Amino acid sequence: MMQTTEPKSSDARLQSRRLILRMPNLDDAFAINDIYNEGDVARWMSVPSPCPIGFTLEQFQRLVVPSPNGVCYIILRKNQRPAKPIGMILANWAGPTGVPKIGFLLAEKHHRKGLMREALNLILPQLFKTARTETVEASRFEGNEASDKLMLKMAFRQVGTSTAFNRATRREEPQVDYVLARSDLVVS
């Protein structure tokens, strides 16, 4: 059974058996910047490659300020000492539709261990509640098959394609678009 701790403040935390998810602080930018620069992560993220720390620090200056139209959680392993961010989940619903769009990243050495699925199991119920929405959207660049498998396991449905500028490759690239209905959410 997944244990969830309701977020109530700027230090809100969600916990599962292996993970702690908490709000970001500016110091997290350094660990996340390292992850942005990992080959298997950088290709799928729309961040410059190589990613300068200045870019990440600027991003984090916005992320550490609570927003009424978005959330950001830093992913930590419970058993890791010292605790160091291993990933991040962001969602924003400030766009014209008001529907949250979620994105995530995880350090390479933590891939294929079910950790992002565990983190999404914590975040998604909270996201539906916080954003007061019936759907959540996501996109991934074509070729990112690991994200495709995860999205489908999480009951997201493919709903089409689009394009987006990828700062890592410096060009417009095709994406696969997904939607998850609240009624389809299955937390495992």
Side-chain angles (χ1 to χ4, degrees):
M1 182 73 161
M2 193 73 57
Q3 174 192 352
T4 304
T5 305
E6 183 82 20
K8 292 184 174 107
S9 70
S10 61
D11 192 35
R13 292 174 181 255
L14 301 172
Q15 295 186 47
S16 66
R17 182 175 60 83
R18 300 182 292 174
L19 301 174
I20 297 171
L21 281 62
R22 63 158 171 76
M23 300 298 163
N25 61 57
L26 202 51
D27 288 340
D28 295 327
F30 297 96
I32 296 299
N33 193 75
D34 289 345
I35 298 169
Y36 281 163
N37 282 296
E38 294 178 355
D40 207 25
V41 175
R43 168 66 184 94
W44 307 120
M45 299 300 304
S46 187
V47 296
S49 181
C51 188
I53 189 61
F55 175 90
T56 310
L57 283 167
E58 183 179 311
Q59 179 186 43
F60 267 73
Q61 286 175 337
R62 290 186 303 274
L63 294 176
V64 298
V65 177
S67 167
N69 299 314
V71 294
C72 177
Y73 282 92
I74 297 298
I75 304 169
L76 305 163
R77 290 287 307 250
K78 277 186 173 178
N79 63 354
Q80 186 178 9
R81 299 289 180 262
K84 180 182 175 187
I86 64 164
M88 179 170 68
I89 300 176
L90 300 136
N92 184 302
W93 53 95
T97 65
V99 174
K101 185 148 191 175
I102 194 167
F104 48 85
L105 65 105
L106 191 65
E108 287 178 340
K109 75 178 195 175
H110 299 285
H111 288 183
R112 291 175 289 286
K113 297 178 181 176
L115 293 172
M116 187 53 72
R117 185 173 184 179
E118 192 170 322
L120 289 171
N121 279 328
L122 289 171
I123 292 293
L124 288 168
Q126 292 295 329
L127 184 56
F128 280 108
K129 183 178 176 181
T130 303
R132 297 182 179 110
T133 187
E134 293 302 314
T135 58
V136 171
E137 298 174 344
S139 296
R140 63 148 176 102
F141 286 114
E142 279 190 6
N144 187 347
E145 300 306 320
S147 283
D148 180 62
K149 288 178 186 174
L150 176 60
M151 301 307 283
L152 297 175
K153 284 179 186 176
M154 297 300 302
F156 279 81
R157 288 181 298 108
Q158 290 185 12
V159 293
T161 59
S162 60
T163 61
F165 185 76
N166 185 335
R167 289 182 190 100
T169 62
R170 298 176 182 86
R171 65 178 184 253
E172 286 284 322
E173 292 199 14
Q175 295 187 121
V176 177
D177 302 318
Y178 300 84
V179 68
L180 173 64
R182 182 192 296 250
S183 59
D184 292 335
L185 179 64
V186 177
V187 177
S188 55

